[in-house]
Amino acid sequence: MIYETRAEWMDAARKRVLLFGMSGLGKTRISSILRDGGWFHYSIDYRIGTRYMGEAIADNFKREAMKVPLLRELLLSDSVRIASNITFDNLAPLSTYLGKPGDPALGGLPFDEYRHRQNQHREAEIAALLDTPHFIDRAHDLYGYDNFVCDSGGSICEVVNPESRTDPVLSVLSRHALMVWIEGSEAHTADLIRRFDKAPKPMYYRPEFLLECWHAYLSETGRMPGAVDPDAFVRWTYARALAHRQPRYAAMAANWGLRVAADEIARVQTPGDFRELIGAALDKRASQAA
């Protein structure tokens, strides 16, 4: 880790952290607090949706618009422009493009197309994560930011091997930023499941996990692939995804960084609170290793 002790962290003229964990536990809220306090905020999902998948997202919008005669005519004559308006706080263009598999009449994608988009996301996420050192330097050299927070996506654990000490992504990230897991409790998990059930959203899944869930769902429901309710499938998969990700996050924290509780993160209101929380987590890690 780039900071091994509270003193190293507190005394560092340039503080650099990467937050990871399930979506909905506070990564973006803390990043916004730090940004308002003078830190540079690098959002992995925003980078994916602009630099690496922006063209695919916009083309998908145009593909749908071409089905409407009026819009088709205007697009072909370059009379209108269609673009994604993705922001740190609104990642809907990215999640909409990623989509859900199942019945087209219910907004679903053919499974092969869905897997294609999943693979696009995987490649884009790895590239965006590996851009972190560049943005650390850019934030400092171009804009004068000393402190840097990387707000990673919930699927970071799906594109790395946390048990490998030579993982190409984690090796780079850990050399440049302190990796901090925001760890949720069982109560948090139950709340995330309830929230997801009300508004199921597209997610990225590890390929092997996705295939396992897809075949299990088809077998359990007796549905043909083209007749699957997309929302029903992602609801069915979500709790399994949380359970699948938890040990991967834990291994990332154990081998590459440290952990803080989501309840502690929820109490952070200022950059000073965050600095103290990380200092305490480093003390705790040191005492456990002694």
Side-chain angles (χ1 to χ4, degrees), residues 10-249:
M10 290 298 190
D11 294 342
R14 295 178 61 189
K15 293 177 172 60
R16 308 188 299 272
V17 298
L18 181 148
L19 304 175
F20 66 94
M22 278 303 302
S23 297
L25 293 182
K27 297 189 303 292
T28 300
R29 186 185 78 86
I30 291 298
S31 297
S32 297
I33 288 172
L34 295 176
R35 182 178 69 233
D36 291 343
W39 289 53
F40 186 90
H41 177 189
Y42 175 54
S43 166
I44 294 297
D45 284 338
Y46 179 80
R47 180 70 168 167
I48 291 171
T50 52
R51 171 63 175 84
Y52 291 107
M53 293 182 69
E55 184 174 298
I57 291 169
D59 283 352
N60 192 51
F61 293 159
K62 294 171 186 176
R63 187 173 295 109
E64 293 301 313
M66 287 289 285
K67 299 175 183 178
V68 180
L70 173 63
L71 293 178
R72 176 185 174 86
E73 181 179 339
L74 292 172
L75 280 171
L76 291 175
S77 63
D78 291 327
S79 299
V80 296
R81 294 169 59 188
I82 296 178
S84 165
N85 190 30
I86 194 169
T87 68
F88 284 6
D89 298 316
N90 180 16
L91 299 166
L94 175 58
S95 61
T96 298
Y97 176 75
L98 196 59
K100 308 166 190 174
D103 187 346
L106 298 176
L109 293 170
F111 192 63
D112 285 345
E113 174 62 19
Y114 178 70
R115 290 183 65 193
H116 169 65
R117 296 187 188 191
Q118 288 271 310
N119 187 58
Q120 284 180 307
H121 191 283
R122 176 183 178 82
E123 293 178 357
E125 184 164 6
I126 290 172
L129 287 166
L130 292 175
D131 283 343
T132 301
H134 166 69
F135 274 88
I136 290 173
D137 292 339
R138 186 169 182 245
H140 182 263
D141 298 341
L142 186 59
Y143 300 116
Y145 286 94
D146 290 325
N147 301 320
F148 178 96
V149 56
C150 176
D151 176 8
S152 74
S155 54
I156 182 175
C157 66
E158 306 281 20
V159 300
V160 299
N161 180 358
E163 300 290 355
S164 171
R165 298 303 301 177
T166 59
D167 181 84
V169 176
L170 293 175
S171 295
V172 170
L173 295 175
S174 64
R175 287 198 303 269
H176 292 88
L178 178 66
M179 302 189 62
V180 179
W181 176 30
I182 300 178
E183 180 184 9
S185 64
E186 290 185 6
H188 288 114
T189 298
D191 184 57
L192 289 175
I193 292 172
R194 283 193 297 271
R195 286 158 54 185
F196 190 88
D197 190 59
K198 291 179 181 178
K201 299 178 180 178
M203 289 176 59
Y204 171 78
Y205 306 101
R206 194 170 186 83
E208 300 85 354
F209 174 80
L210 172 61
L211 283 174
E212 178 184 326
C213 286
W214 181 247
H215 292 310
Y217 185 81
L218 295 179
S219 176
E220 181 177 311
T221 63
R223 294 275 186 176
M224 296 297 290
V228 167
D229 181 331
D231 284 346
F233 171 71
V234 296
R235 284 191 180 103
W236 183 90
T237 306
Y238 185 69
R240 292 164 177 79
L242 294 188
H244 166 75
R245 288 181 176 183
Q246 195 73 1
R248 301 184 69 84
Y249 289 138

